[in-house]
Amino acid sequence: MTVSRTNSLPPGGREGGSAAWEVLLPAASAPVRSRGRALQAALREAVRSGRLAAGTRLPSSRDLAADLGVSRGLVTEAYEQLTAEGYLRSGRGAGTWVGEAARAARPRARDLAPRATGARADFVPGTPDVSLFPRAAWAAAHRQELAELPHRGLGYPDPRGLPRLRTALAALLARRRGVVADPERIVVVSGVTQAISLVCGTLRARGAGGIGVEDPGSPQHDDVYAAAGISAVPLPLDEEGLAPGPLRDAGVRAVVTTPAHQYPTGIGYSARRRAELLDWARSVDGLVLEDDYDGDFRYDRAPVGALQGLDPERVAYTGSVSKSLAPGLRLGWLVVPGWLAEDVVRRKRAVDLGHPSVDQAVFARFLERGDYDRQLRRCQRAYRERRDALVAALAEHFPGAGVSGIAAGLHVIVTLPERYGPQETFLARMAGAGVAVRPLSDCRYRPDGDPGRAGAVRLVVGYAHLSPGRIREGVRLMAEAA
């Protein structure tokens, strides 16, 4: 029988069998040492893909070996292995058949990464300009680290992070953000989201049922809180930051805040409000989790120092490179109080055994050589120029519009004159014109908390990912559609 070289049917008489056997020919040509594994893989894939349907009888080991030009023992071993795995079935004197366990499935890898809106003008906030990523400098640092990294450096890292990186981060955070950063209390994390998850999971294990969150804020973090087994308790803001009265009345002992540049309102917490927030934490034996998501980008003066510097035992501090380098690096840091450190590190070890060591070593080199400071200066210049372009374009095309939160960050709050409302009508016009915008009401935990939901148009307008030219063109399109 020469099934693979003719159009004759294989034993069992199923049409199309010849083509199925032919998929095994490349495996028969593999190097001798890997031929057995190649034959098994090819036969396994033929079953998975459906080219060998369930119930198909396979040629005898002798016939298939002769057909492929390989030893009978190689085919016998392949049959036995795939029978053990459940792909084939056999019986004494009954031959070998394709089993029923495997189901044909077309291999498909979906991409669930967040995607651009595809709009003609996209002002949705939260996205940095990843084209500013310093590819050449990062690649050079990566090559150097791989060349110099000792073999033991490729083993499981300290779950807190490489000591070298934690030392470099402590120096950076103390110098730029006023953080009291003991390297022993720094945990390298996969971004702010993991930092929040670690802290919330630790608090839940200590008996916490809820955690206070700013309203407006980031409702998308609700899934993170829920996964940690803790509930988000929305707390209102006033013009100075988190309102102290509702915070005291909420009955929580922990709160997540963005005091340097509140998201999304752009409020910088006043000195008085910072003191009140810390007084509250001390009075309830509680914790403030400070999310410094874009604290490095201040345009009117030096960045406001971190709240953590005022009381390191009552404030856990977190930040990342998502806005300064790229969110895809999944690289951030968490500075925890001493009383919380051991539990957080234990949880980090249980979750992932530590952050990738090569990425940590590259970032450590980036910090040590001053590359990260240069990158921050580069981004700050670019984002300031884009902010200025947005403010000027809004003044030109939307006279009378209020623009706030411009002193820092990567977005502004725009309040349009009443003639552009109601908000739902305005948003429908934007969608029809291919202009992607986010209303402030989307950042509210309580639907009735923002009058803009039905009345005045209030938008959170992101600009960091857009060139000045695209910003000006986008605002023009928005004005035409309005």
Side-chain angles (χ1 to χ4, degrees), residues 107-173:
R108 187 166 74 100
R110 294 185 299 155
D111 186 355
L112 299 181
R115 295 193 175 278
T117 62
R120 296 171 65 194
D122 183 355
F123 289 106
V124 174
T127 304
D129 185 353
V130 292
S131 72
L132 295 176
F133 182 75
R135 291 174 182 262
W138 191 266
H142 196 278
R143 286 193 300 270
Q144 291 164 349
E145 284 302 321
L146 280 180
E148 300 172 9
L149 195 67
H151 294 317
R152 66 177 181 276
L154 295 174
Y156 290 111
D158 184 325
R160 297 171 298 177
L162 299 184
R164 173 187 172 192
L165 176 55
R166 289 185 282 119
T167 299
L169 280 171
L172 173 82
L173 297 176

Side-chain angles (χ1 to χ4, degrees), residues 171-186:
L172 173 82
L173 297 176
R175 173 168 49 85
R176 293 193 64 94
R177 305 298 298 121
V179 172
V180 178
D182 180 348
E184 289 296 292
R185 297 185 183 181
I186 294 178

Side-chain angles (χ1 to χ4, degrees), residues 125-410:
T127 304
D129 185 353
V130 292
S131 72
L132 295 176
F133 182 75
R135 291 174 182 262
W138 191 266
H142 196 278
R143 286 193 300 270
Q144 291 164 349
E145 284 302 321
L146 280 180
E148 300 172 9
L149 195 67
H151 294 317
R152 66 177 181 276
L154 295 174
Y156 290 111
D158 184 325
R160 297 171 298 177
L162 299 184
R164 173 187 172 192
L165 176 55
R166 289 185 282 119
T167 299
L169 280 171
L172 173 82
L173 297 176
R175 173 168 49 85
R176 293 193 64 94
R177 305 298 298 121
V179 172
V180 178
D182 180 348
E184 289 296 292
R185 297 185 183 181
I186 294 178
V187 181
V188 178
V189 293
S190 298
V192 169
T193 297
Q194 188 182 49
I196 293 174
S197 177
L198 291 173
V199 171
C200 287
T202 301
L203 294 177
R204 181 69 185 93
R206 288 168 170 251
I211 189 167
V213 296
E214 298 168 326
D215 187 15
S218 300
Q220 65 269 25
H221 283 157
D222 275 3
D223 289 342
V224 181
Y225 303 130
I230 205 166
S231 59
V233 180
L235 300 170
L237 302 167
D238 59 24
E239 65 278 2
E240 294 185 70
L242 203 61
L247 174 59
R248 287 192 297 269
D249 296 340
V252 296
R253 293 175 55 196
V255 64
V256 181
T257 66
T258 52
H261 182 240
Q262 200 277 330
Y263 182 85
T265 65
I267 295 171
Y269 278 33
S270 68
R272 182 179 71 168
R273 189 53 46 82
R274 287 170 165 239
E276 290 172 340
L277 184 57
L278 292 176
D279 286 343
W280 165 82
R282 295 167 189 140
S283 70
V284 299
D285 191 22
L287 178 74
V288 177
L289 176 53
E290 179 178 10
D291 177 1
D292 199 21
Y293 72 101
D294 66 356
D296 278 306
F297 300 115
R298 184 91 190 189
Y299 309 121
D300 58 341
R301 54 184 170 84
V304 177
L307 180 69
Q308 189 266 3
L310 297 174
D311 194 338
E313 287 303 303
R314 288 298 164 197
V315 182
Y317 173 90
T318 183
S320 78
V321 302
S322 293
K323 302 297 186 287
S324 53
L325 286 173
L329 291 178
R330 307 312 306 134
L331 186 57
W333 45 86
L334 171 64
V335 186
V336 289
W339 57 272
L340 202 62
E342 185 175 334
D343 287 354
V344 168
V345 173
R346 186 183 301 113
R347 186 170 293 271
K348 170 67 175 174
R349 180 187 289 111
V351 167
D352 58 16
L353 295 179
H355 201 76
S357 56
V358 175
D359 293 347
Q360 292 188 64
V362 174
F363 187 43
R365 181 180 289 263
F366 229 63
L367 292 171
E368 293 162 353
R369 291 166 56 93
D371 290 326
Y372 189 64
D373 284 296
R374 283 188 286 275
Q375 173 68 8
L376 287 174
R377 290 193 294 270
R378 180 188 183 199
C379 290
Q380 187 164 33
R381 288 192 299 269
Y383 295 156
R384 184 201 300 268
E385 180 185 13
R386 296 169 193 197
R387 179 209 61 175
D388 293 345
L390 176 62
V391 172
L394 289 169
E396 177 183 355
H397 294 287
F398 289 93
V403 183
S404 59
I406 66 173
L410 311 180

Side-chain angles (χ1 to χ4, degrees), residues 59-73:
S60 69
S61 58
R62 184 188 304 276
D63 287 343
L64 186 56
D67 217 37
L68 297 176
V70 300
S71 72
R72 183 182 179 186

Side-chain angles (χ1 to χ4, degrees), residues 420-436:
Y420 292 103
Q423 179 165 285
E424 293 302 324
T425 302
F426 177 86
L427 295 176
R429 291 187 188 126
M430 294 302 105
V435 178

